Amino acid sequence: MREHRIRHSWAEARQTAFDAAEPVPETALPLGPDLCGRRLAEPVVALQDIPHFDSAAMDGWAVNGSAPWIFVSPGERLYPGQASDILTGGLVPPGAKAVLRSESGRVSADAEGLPVLQLSSEAKPGEPRAGQHIRPSGKEAVAGEQLLAAGTILNPVRLALAALSGADSLSVAGRARVRLLFTGDEVVDSGIPGPGRVRDVFAPQLSAAVLALGAEVVGEARLPDRLPETVAALSATDAEVFISTGGTGRSAADQVRRAIDELGADLMIDGVAMRPGGPVFLARLPGGRFLVGLPGNPLAAFMALATVAQPLLAGLAGLPRPAAIEVLSGAAHEPDPGRSRLLPYRDFYGLASPVAKTESAMLHGLAQAEGVLVVPPHGVKLGEAVPAFSFPWN
Ligand SMILES: Nc1nc2c(c(=O)[nH]1)N[C@H]1C(S)=C(S)[C@@H](COP(=O)(O)OP(=O)(O)OC[C@H]3O[C@@H](n4cnc5c(N)ncnc54)[C@H](O)[C@@H]3O)O[C@H]1N2
Ligand code: MOO
């Protein structure tokens, strides 16, 4: 392993992680609910007129001319004085001038006992008007017309429209495939842990967080604190990114850094000058795959996720670099030379006020927060503008 040991600043780390990523190529996927949230790489156009045939908007009769009408078989050409049965959505036969809805007509028998259609007492004056209750073909779109532009984020309505277009698959922007690796022999995944054990806070949510950050999880595994298993897990080739939790330190139990050495990976970010989350790293593994090492402390892990994983995943998805916002500080913060402090805050009357319970191993504060202040090493005065970020779920 090359020993860079350059601790990036918070802003440099975000830029470095973003710049490291080449967008994953676009891909054509079958039309289905899995595409919800994906970004169109190519426009969706109508493959034929929508609707593609003249259809009835009401149950009743297709008619030509004015009452009374005699009946012909459904689908046959209609001449003046003729009608045929039709249902909502049904194909309007040639020669039909209007659809008379069932409430406006009444079928009786003529002198020879043959059925004849008359206007009922419910018919409005002038009914049926020419074209009434006929949905003409091409009314919504003509063949070749763009229905959804490239770049549109797919949602249930847009997926429905894509189906209406006649498409069976859609071309969507690529996104990173991610494997999650959870370390820590002390971690239990259910129930109330005993002393020395901790309840896992990552497996219940990290794949949802990754999805919200524009990537998809293709596998997750719990790793024992042992080198061979860690190296083997990092050898999978079906993901662009691994995200590990815990084991970023250099203790005897921490195997992730040793695995990076063993695999000959390039450590691109080896710690960030921030607290919490400082031990986060970004490595490039052989074959161009990435490993983001999140610290095991829960709040530290979320801060590391926002600082390194979010820009990396955005870059791989071809999205812009996640923007930092500016908020006005609701408190003064003393200098802390050499590192930024990431402080979860809530807005109180236009001022960003740090919340309580935001130590590295805590989560309560972050769960109440609207965003996170990035207090620079030289500190902040009350009311001063300060960079901040929020998560997509805030
Ligand atoms: N001698 C030093 N010790 C530590 C340093 C240091 O610089 N020198 N840095 C501290 C900082 S800062 C952080 S952050 C943590 C980073 O720890 P690791 O990434 O090595 O993670 P672990 O040691 O495995 O665990 C730390 C902590 O997190 C808990 N944890 C781990 N996984 C989970 C999980 N899935 N769910 C809930 N909690 C988890 C674990 O039990 C530990 O309590 O290191 C400091 N130490
Ligand atoms: O990054 Mo550590 O978060 O300070 O405990």
Side-chain angles (χ1 to χ4, degrees), residues 283-374:
R284 197 193 289 270
L285 301 170
R289 297 160 304 135
F290 294 99
L291 166 62
V292 179
L294 303 179
N297 279 324
L299 179 61
F302 274 107
M303 300 300 111
L305 190 74
T307 304
V308 176
Q310 185 172 15
L312 177 74
L313 299 179
L316 288 164
L319 294 168
R321 187 166 66 89
I325 51 171
E326 271 207 339
V327 294
L328 301 179
S329 179
H333 298 284
E334 294 297 312
D336 185 0
R339 63 187 175 187
S340 297
R341 272 153 298 158
L342 271 49
L343 301 177
Y345 74 90
R346 283 188 72 80
D347 183 282
F348 280 107
Y349 304 105
L351 293 176
S353 302
V355 294
K357 300 188 180 173
T358 56
E359 282 169 30
S360 177
M362 297 180 173
L363 283 172
H364 198 164
L366 186 62
Q368 320 296 322
E370 290 164 24
V372 178
L373 292 176
V374 184

Side-chain angles (χ1 to χ4, degrees), residues 183 186-187 198-202 246-249 254 275 279 295-297 300:
T183 75
E186 76 284 16
V187 173
V198 294
R199 175 70 189 265
D200 181 17
V201 301
F202 297 122
T248 59
D254 296 330
R275 183 172 167 81
N297 279 324

Side-chain angles (χ1 to χ4, degrees), residues 25-380:
E26 66 186 64
T27 170
L29 292 172
L31 178 60
D34 291 353
L35 293 186
C36 209
R38 300 293 297 256
R39 193 159 38 90
L40 279 176
E42 284 167 24
V44 173
V45 297
L47 297 180
Q48 60 179 358
D49 289 353
I50 304 174
H52 62 285
F53 58 92
D54 293 352
S55 62
M58 295 280 174
D59 297 333
W61 302 273
V63 296
N64 184 343
S66 46
W69 297 275
I70 58 163
F71 286 98
V72 298
S73 300
E76 265 182 37
R77 171 170 288 278
L78 298 179
Y79 294 96
Q82 292 183 333
S84 57
D85 293 350
I86 199 160
L87 296 175
T88 302
L91 176 63
V92 171
K97 300 288 189 249
V99 166
L100 183 71
R101 57 181 192 135
S102 46
E103 295 86 335
S104 300
R106 163 175 72 81
V107 181
S108 55
D110 67 6
E112 280 121 53
L114 292 171
V116 62
L117 175 62
Q118 307 272 6
L119 289 173
S120 75
S121 56
E122 272 192 51
K124 304 214 168 67
E127 204 176 343
R129 285 177 286 105
Q132 193 172 13
H133 301 318
I134 291 179
R135 294 191 292 223
S137 70
K139 188 173 187 193
E140 185 165 0
V142 294
E145 191 174 328
Q146 179 173 303
L147 302 175
L148 295 168
T152 301
I153 304 294
L154 292 167
N155 64 21
V157 176
R158 292 167 183 165
L159 288 170
L161 180 60
L164 206 55
S165 81
D168 293 320
S169 67
L170 298 179
S171 184
V172 292
R175 65 181 182 187
R177 293 166 300 166
V178 177
R179 279 190 167 272
L180 303 179
L181 303 173
F182 308 114
T183 75
D185 287 347
E186 76 284 16
V187 173
V188 299
D189 56 16
S190 64
I192 297 167
R197 315 279 278 172
V198 294
R199 175 70 189 265
D200 181 17
V201 301
F202 297 122
Q205 52 78 22
L206 198 50
S207 59
V210 164
L211 195 63
L213 299 181
E216 65 182 311
V217 169
V218 294
E220 48 184 79
R222 191 169 293 290
L223 286 184
D225 290 333
R226 285 169 41 86
L227 187 59
E229 283 85 345
T230 309
V231 170
L234 289 171
S235 305
T237 55
D238 61 353
E240 285 79 28
V241 178
F242 296 90
I243 298 179
S244 62
T245 62
T248 59
R250 293 177 166 76
S251 79
D254 296 330
Q255 302 300 336
V256 186
R257 283 176 176 279
R258 287 192 188 93
I260 293 176
D261 275 353
E262 178 120 346
L263 289 163
D266 180 16
L267 211 43
M268 304 176 77
I269 297 176
D270 189 3
V272 176
M274 65 181 191
R275 183 172 167 81
V280 61
F281 62 77
L282 172 64
R284 197 193 289 270
L285 301 170
R289 297 160 304 135
F290 294 99
L291 166 62
V292 179
L294 303 179
N297 279 324
L299 179 61
F302 274 107
M303 300 300 111
L305 190 74
T307 304
V308 176
Q310 185 172 15
L312 177 74
L313 299 179
L316 288 164
L319 294 168
R321 187 166 66 89
I325 51 171
E326 271 207 339
V327 294
L328 301 179
S329 179
H333 298 284
E334 294 297 312
D336 185 0
R339 63 187 175 187
S340 297
R341 272 153 298 158
L342 271 49
L343 301 177
Y345 74 90
R346 283 188 72 80
D347 183 282
F348 280 107
Y349 304 105
L351 293 176
S353 302
V355 294
K357 300 188 180 173
T358 56
E359 282 169 30
S360 177
M362 297 180 173
L363 283 172
H364 198 164
L366 186 62
Q368 320 296 322
E370 290 164 24
V372 178
L373 292 176
V374 184
V375 175
H378 56 78
V380 166

